[in-house]
């Protein structure tokens, strides 16, 4: 098994653990997971092809849809509800 798959599995376990934390404790580890995910997706895509990279990207966007939506609205100047 490639290291990229092992790290992806560890990333999934870590994100599941972070999701079980109270909301006030989710932000710092969530940011680390959010930042590390694109590098991991590129690594998976490099090892297994663009289809798996696309599937990993879809899973990432699905998991982080609310933070992505929030920051997209904030960066484009749209109204942000806090």
């Amino acid at each position: 098994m490639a290291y990229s798959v092992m790290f992806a599995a560890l990333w999934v376990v870590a994100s599941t653990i972070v999701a079980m934390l109270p909301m006030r404790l989710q932000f710092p580890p969530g940011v680390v997971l959010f930042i590390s995910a694109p590098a991991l997706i590129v690594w998976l895509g490099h090892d297994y092809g663009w289809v798996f990279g696309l599937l990993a990207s879809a899973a990432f966007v699905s998991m982080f849809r609310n933070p992505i939506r929030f920051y997209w609205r904030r960066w484009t100047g749209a109204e942000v509800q806090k």
Side-chain angles (χ1 to χ4, degrees), residues 40-80:
L40 185 58
I41 290 169
V42 168
W43 191 13
L44 283 167
H46 179 266
D47 285 351
Y48 291 99
W50 67 272
V51 174
F52 287 100
L54 187 64
L55 290 171
S57 297
F60 171 73
V61 169
S62 174
M63 183 179 283
F64 284 95
R65 65 185 172 274
N66 288 331
I68 290 171
R69 187 180 309 136
F70 174 79
Y71 286 114
W72 179 259
R73 287 180 182 166
R74 192 169 170 192
W75 291 330
T76 59
E79 184 178 334
V80 177

